[in-house]
């Protein structure tokens, strides 16, 4: 019963939709509604149930360089965004975890506050900041640092800013929760046994934060890889990410089978490394 | 008890104080610890004993005063450079390292050659009888085993001074007793000076050569366990080290090496076999440990106190090795006495409701100021 409800939830909102998308990815696009063929057909003269799996969509993805580039591009952007979130998020999480208990709830709140406004509004604000005549350029020009202001929009720089800004809290919160739970006497013990402060960090604090680092990195990496809004609004059109490709296939081309194949491949790219990782984790726990 | 009196003090604490805001956690303490000694700081929570220990380790900075180890001021040394190690109350074992790695930690930090580390770790694990668990992680050990690993880890660097924060506090009662002797055996073998912080008077008394009772940031009394138990200087110390009967008394006179007193509750006369520097008329308090009282139904000779008090046994608490008698004295006060269970076939043991005579030996009485 206890695991029944989450299982039901998973079934209803993950497995069934997943099966539907998987099914569509094996069909062919037609001009109809719904815009794809059925893969299961009952041929009554021969009393045969015929299931035809069309692998053409996957072959198409494999052969067309556009999709490759979009996948690699998405992975690269997601990887570096995650790395930057980690490098910025760790010191912030550490600072909050080590600040006095009186201030912690307030600092915690400051991390969460951006979620109270819509993502779109936040991204549009960044557009305002990064424009050629935006606030950043105006200030830089006024100070005299920049004579010939350039728009920072439609660049990878803008995409990274948007990604890191949006997903940083997802990195900070799990890191904060592991750091906050760390027993201070462990650090004292390390100090007592002869470790100067930086060594205490490297030999005690950091290894004991690994779970938080993994959780935070996944919480950032997974949504950034499929992110659609941020690259569309801040990025350059020649710098395609896979979320944009997916959107175009669904809504512009109305090619649901190819769009489904794109989604299935993306899921495989994300899930397979996670499953391998979890498997090795379980093994090391037993060993 | 070893004789350590002729040695120079290893640790000299000079007028040390620590204030947290307006609270004096440690209030102007002077203390000398001799080399090779097992010294206990005994006190309740908030007595300042842990703060004092943390100042020795370097985790707290004294507000004022000086700590000298081997004559050198420790203030100049950050905690990671002090030749002092600590065994933490929670043990603070690193959960991501094996027993072996935990114990080796301090030696690795000191950049000691690998082969020497291996030898020293296996030797100390042998001493605490944990060799077979070297590859385990701390969460695969029992509480008693973790305690041994923590001890090994703090001893392996051979510190000049080992600080133990409630070393037996997290163990259950049965394990405590055996570990207590184990700790003594290891200390005698290795010879490192121990400073133990504890709130448990039995632990302090059985482990230490000397102990200090702390209260509200001050040292109330320092001495050997026997000395502090038998001759408490204050009501607080008397109460802290076991139960006691406290009798209000007035000095009535002195003759040579005797002091005559009148007990205020009953008006009975009593004698102490030593002189007090209290003039006649002074009010004092007498402390009588429960095991010093002689209780019997029959007529008894008064002890050297010359006092016999009448009482009725209100209740008996049977503890196996002894019984605790709750005595309702005829003068209205309540006494506690211990009766040792000597003989299983004792035909007529004391029973609740018995009328009894109570006496004691004058030399068993300790005097504290009223």
């Amino acid at each position: 019963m206890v695991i029944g409800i989450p299982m039901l939830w998973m079934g209803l909102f993950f497995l069934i939709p997943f099966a539907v998308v998987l099914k569509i990815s094996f069909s062919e696009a037609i001009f109809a509604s719904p815009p794809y063929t059925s893969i299961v057909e009952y041929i009554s003269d021969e009393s045969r149930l015929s299931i035809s799996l069309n692998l053409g969509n996957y072959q198409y993805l494999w052969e067309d360089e556009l999709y490759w580039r979009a996948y690699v591009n998405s992975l690269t952007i997601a990887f570096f965004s995650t790395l930057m979130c980690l490098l910025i998020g760790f010191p912030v999480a550490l600072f909050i975890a080590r600040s006095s208990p009186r201030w912690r709830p307030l600092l915690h709140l400051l991390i969460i506050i951006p979620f109270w406004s819509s993502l779109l509004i936040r991204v549009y604000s960044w557009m305002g900041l990064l424009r050629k005549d935006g606030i950043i350029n105006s200030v830089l020009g006024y100070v005299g640092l920049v004579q010939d202001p350039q728009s920072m929009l439609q660049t990878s720089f803008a995409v990274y800013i948007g990604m890191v800004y949006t997903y940083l809290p997802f990195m900070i919160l799990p890191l904060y929760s592991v750091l906050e739970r760390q027993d201070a006497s462990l650090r004292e013990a390390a100090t007592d046994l002869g470790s100067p402060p930086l060594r205490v960090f490297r030999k005690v604090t950091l290894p004991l934060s690994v779970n938080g680092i993994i959780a935070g990195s996944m919480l950032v990496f997974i949504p950034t890889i499929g992110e659609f809004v941020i690259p569309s609004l801040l990025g350059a059109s020649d710098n395609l990410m896979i979320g944009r490709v997916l959107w175009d296939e669904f809504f512009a081309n109305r090619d649901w089978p190819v769009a489904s194949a794109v989604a299935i491949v993306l899921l495989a790219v994300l899930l397979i490394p996670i499953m391998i990782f979890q498997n090795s984790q379980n093994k090391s726990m037993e060993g | 008890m070893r004789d350590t009196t002729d040695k120079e003090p290893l640790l000299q604490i000079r007028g040390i104080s620590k204030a947290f805001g307006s609270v004096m956690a440690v209030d102007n303490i002077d203390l000398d610890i001799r080399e090779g000694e097992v010294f206990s700081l005994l006190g309740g929570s908030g007595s300042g004993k842990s703060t004092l220990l943390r100042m020795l380790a370097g985790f707290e900075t004294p507000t004022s005063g000086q700590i000298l180890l081997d004559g050198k001021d420790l203030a100049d040394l950050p905690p990671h450079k002090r030749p002092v190690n600590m065994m933490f109350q929670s043990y603070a074992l690193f959960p991501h390292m094996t027993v072996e790695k935990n114990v080796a930690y301090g030696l690795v930090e000191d950049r000691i050659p690998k082969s020497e580390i291996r030898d020293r770790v296996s030797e100390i694990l042998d001493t605490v009888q944990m060799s077979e668990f070297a590859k385990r992680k701390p969460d695969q050990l029992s509480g008693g085993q973790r305690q041994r690993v923590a001890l090994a880890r703090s001893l392996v660097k051979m510190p000049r001074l080992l600080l133990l924060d409630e070393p037996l506090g997290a163990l259950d009662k049965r394990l405590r007793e055996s570990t207590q002797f184990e700790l003594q055996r290891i200390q005698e073998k290795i010879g490192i000076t121990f400073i133990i912080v504890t709130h448990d008077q039995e632990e302090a008394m059985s482990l230490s050569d000397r102990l200090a009772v702390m209260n509200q940031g001050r040292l109330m009394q320092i001495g050997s366990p026997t000395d502090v138990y038998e001759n408490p200087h204050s009501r607080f110390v008397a109460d802290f080290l076991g139960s006691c009967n406290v009798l209000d008394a007035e000095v009535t006179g002195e003759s040579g090496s005797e002091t005559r007193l009148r007990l205020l509750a009953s008006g009975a006369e009593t004698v102490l076999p030593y002189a007090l520097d209290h003039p006649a008329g002074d009010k004092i308090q007498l402390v009588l440990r429960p095991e010093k009282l002689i209780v019997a139904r029959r007529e008894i000779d008064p002890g050297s106190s010359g006092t016999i008090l009448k009482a009725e046994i209100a209740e008996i608490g049977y503890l196996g090795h002894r019984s605790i008698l709750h005595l309702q004295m005829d003068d209205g006060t309540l006494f506690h006495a211990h009766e040792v269970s000597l003989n299983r076939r004792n035909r007529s043991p004391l029973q609740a409701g018995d009328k009894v005579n109570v006496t004691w030996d004058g030399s068993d009485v300790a005097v504290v100021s009223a």
Side-chain angles (χ1 to χ4, degrees):
Chain A
M1 188 57 201
V2 178
I3 64 162
I5 291 167
M7 291 296 264
L8 191 72
W9 182 272
M10 277 287 281
L12 271 179
F13 297 111
F14 177 72
L15 282 179
I16 294 176
F18 174 74
V20 170
V21 172
L22 187 66
K23 190 195 80 167
I24 296 174
S25 78
F26 286 118
S27 63
E28 275 170 68
I30 50 168
F31 199 71
S33 176
Y36 54 88
T37 58
S38 171
I39 61 169
V40 182
E41 204 176 354
Y42 183 66
I43 304 162
S44 47
D45 338 345
E46 301 172 40
S47 297
R48 238 169 10 136
L49 191 67
S50 142
I51 299 173
S52 53
L53 296 180
N54 171 23
L55 301 177
N57 300 319
Y58 290 96
Q59 195 184 358
Y60 178 60
L61 292 191
W62 178 264
E63 283 166 359
D64 192 330
E65 200 200 349
L66 172 100
Y67 297 101
W68 274 103
R69 289 226 322 266
Y71 278 118
V72 171
N73 196 27
S74 296
L75 283 169
T76 314
I77 290 177
F79 175 79
F80 285 107
S81 302
T82 308
L83 192 67
M84 283 187 271
C85 281
L86 182 61
L87 292 179
I88 300 168
F90 202 103
V92 175
L94 197 62
F95 174 78
I96 301 176
R98 301 282 164 83
S99 56
S100 103
R102 225 156 48 94
W103 290 107
R104 269 182 237 161
L106 179 70
L107 295 168
H108 207 249
L109 187 71
L110 290 177
I111 301 295
I112 304 173
I113 273 184
F115 289 119
W116 294 0
S117 66
S118 141
L119 171 69
L120 272 175
I121 293 176
R122 280 178 281 144
V123 175
Y124 273 116
S125 321
W126 274 109
M127 290 172 76
L129 288 169
L130 297 171
R131 267 201 328 262
K132 187 172 178 182
D133 55 349
I135 295 171
I136 294 177
N137 273 331
S138 308
V139 171
L140 288 178
Y142 185 75
V143 180
L145 278 171
V146 174
Q147 270 78 35
D148 175 28
Q150 294 294 315
S151 171
M152 287 171 276
L153 285 173
Q154 271 79 51
T155 60
S156 315
F157 173 71
V159 174
Y160 280 118
I161 286 202
M163 293 283 205
V164 172
Y165 168 77
T166 306
Y167 290 102
L168 191 57
F170 292 98
M171 181 64 83
I172 294 177
L173 295 178
L175 281 176
Y176 167 72
S177 93
V178 277
L179 288 169
E180 196 242 5
R181 268 182 286 133
Q182 273 179 22
D183 184 357
S185 71
L186 293 178
R187 295 194 296 277
E188 286 185 346
T191 305
D192 186 66
L193 291 166
S195 296
L198 269 176
R199 301 265 305 161
V200 175
F201 178 80
R202 200 171 71 71
K203 294 193 74 174
V204 177
T205 307
L206 197 57
L208 291 177
S209 313
V210 167
N211 285 338
I213 293 175
I214 292 172
S217 298
M218 285 194 176
L219 285 179
V220 174
F221 188 80
I222 292 171
T224 47
I225 202 169
E227 178 60 46
F228 168 69
V229 172
I230 297 169
S232 302
L233 294 179
L234 300 177
S237 49
D238 59 342
N239 209 359
L240 269 185
M241 283 185 74
I242 203 66
R244 180 60 188 265
V245 170
L246 201 60
W247 196 90
D248 285 346
E249 292 296 349
F250 257 114
F251 299 104
N253 287 352
R254 267 183 82 76
D255 191 340
W256 286 24
V258 166
S260 301
V262 169
I264 295 290
V265 170
L266 178 60
L267 195 67
V269 166
L270 287 178
L271 275 189
I272 290 170
I274 293 173
M275 278 156 74
I276 293 172
F277 171 76
Q278 286 222 320
N279 205 17
S280 73
Q281 277 263 299
N282 290 344
K283 270 185 194 146
S284 72
M285 291 279 267
E286 287 154 17
Chain B
M1 202 178 66
R2 268 152 290 137
D3 179 37
T4 49
T5 42
D6 55 331
K7 288 182 190 157
E8 278 292 296
L10 169 76
L11 182 75
Q12 294 163 282
I13 297 174
R14 295 280 169 267
I16 211 102
S17 294
K18 175 72 185 179
F20 292 114
S22 58
V23 182
M24 292 301 279
V26 171
D27 194 355
N28 195 22
I29 281 181
D30 286 291
L31 184 63
D32 283 350
I33 310 276
R34 304 174 200 121
E35 180 145 24
E37 188 172 32
V38 178
F39 190 93
S40 289
L41 289 165
L42 178 61
S45 60
S47 61
K49 59 190 193 309
S50 294
T51 307
L52 181 55
L53 199 74
R54 291 173 60 80
M55 285 194 281
L56 297 177
F59 299 138
E60 304 284 356
T61 316
T63 311
S64 61
Q66 231 186 356
I67 304 170
L68 304 172
L69 184 72
D70 288 318
K72 287 193 292 285
D73 195 337
L74 277 184
D76 311 332
L77 289 178
H80 65 274
K81 289 189 178 151
R82 295 190 182 194
V84 172
N85 283 134
M86 177 146 159
M87 186 180 141
F88 290 79
Q89 181 174 13
S90 63
Y91 307 145
L93 297 176
F94 305 124
H96 56 301
M97 297 182 196
T98 59
V99 166
E100 206 171 41
K101 291 264 165 58
N102 262 286
V103 175
Y105 189 96
L107 300 174
V108 172
E109 292 305 276
D110 281 358
R111 290 164 206 280
I112 283 168
K114 272 201 175 121
S115 59
E116 190 189 334
I117 291 180
R118 209 178 315 118
D119 294 346
R120 283 172 69 176
V121 168
S122 78
E123 190 189 350
I124 196 82
L125 282 179
D126 210 40
T127 307
V128 300
Q129 298 170 348
M130 285 296 292
S131 302
E132 52 181 313
F133 302 100
K135 304 287 183 202
R136 296 255 187 110
K137 290 270 185 73
D139 61 4
Q140 298 167 310
L141 302 175
S142 71
Q145 290 167 338
R146 277 205 284 272
Q147 194 255 13
R148 284 155 186 272
V149 176
L151 182 64
R153 188 180 68 177
S154 56
L155 281 173
V156 75
K157 288 182 79 173
M158 290 293 164
R160 294 291 287 143
L161 189 62
L162 182 67
L163 311 172
L164 301 99
D165 192 359
E166 306 273 0
L168 308 178
L171 304 177
D172 59 54
K173 194 175 184 332
R174 193 187 301 224
L175 203 54
R176 265 174 121 120
E177 280 172 22
S178 60
T179 312
Q180 206 160 291
F181 289 113
E182 188 62 21
L183 207 57
Q184 271 172 320
R185 176 184 71 81
I186 292 168
Q187 198 274 338
E188 272 161 34
K189 181 178 170 201
I190 297 182
I192 290 175
T193 309
F194 277 23
I195 297 184
I196 299 172
V197 152
T198 178
H199 67 274
D200 183 310
Q201 45 106 1
E202 279 183 36
E203 192 175 311
M205 292 210 284
S206 62
L207 283 173
S208 15
D209 299 320
R210 286 194 309 150
L211 58 85
V213 180
M214 276 189 83
N215 186 35
Q216 295 181 333
R218 291 166 198 260
L219 295 184
M220 304 298 287
Q221 193 171 348
I222 308 173
S224 71
T226 335
D227 187 37
V228 178
Y229 182 79
E230 302 289 349
N231 297 306
H233 293 168
S234 60
R235 176 78 192 273
F236 179 85
V237 172
D239 274 333
F240 205 89
L241 293 182
S243 53
C244 58
N245 301 297
V246 179
L247 292 75
D248 289 311
E250 186 185 342
V251 179
T252 52
E254 220 174 72
S255 62
S257 61
E258 277 188 356
T259 309
R260 284 193 310 281
L261 305 160
R262 191 168 57 85
L263 299 178
L264 295 186
S266 57
E269 294 289 319
T270 193
V271 177
L272 296 178
Y274 48 83
L276 283 179
D277 50 351
H278 284 280
D282 257 18
K283 300 276 202 302
I284 59 171
Q285 286 186 320
L286 307 182
V287 171
L288 260 172
R289 297 286 178 196
E291 69 276 12
K292 315 284 192 202
L293 292 178
I294 299 158
V295 180
R297 269 184 306 228
R298 61 192 157 76
E299 288 296 312
I300 46 176
D301 288 335
S304 64
S305 62
T307 313
I308 291 181
L309 298 178
K310 302 271 183 201
E312 182 182 324
I313 297 180
E315 212 181 314
I316 299 183
Y318 178 67
L319 297 180
H321 61 305
R322 66 178 189 212
S323 298
I324 298 180
L325 310 177
H326 294 249
L327 301 171
Q328 177 64 57
M329 309 305 287
D330 284 4
D331 59 32
T333 56
L334 280 170
F335 272 29
H336 287 204
H338 290 173
E339 193 196 34
V340 180
S341 317
L342 288 176
N343 192 335
R344 273 206 307 173
R345 282 183 293 276
N346 190 346
R347 293 277 153 68
S348 51
L350 292 172
Q351 280 172 351
D354 284 355
K355 301 277 186 201
V356 290
N357 294 309
V358 178
T359 186
W360 60 87
D361 212 68
S363 57
D364 286 337
V365 179
V367 174
V368 299
S369 311

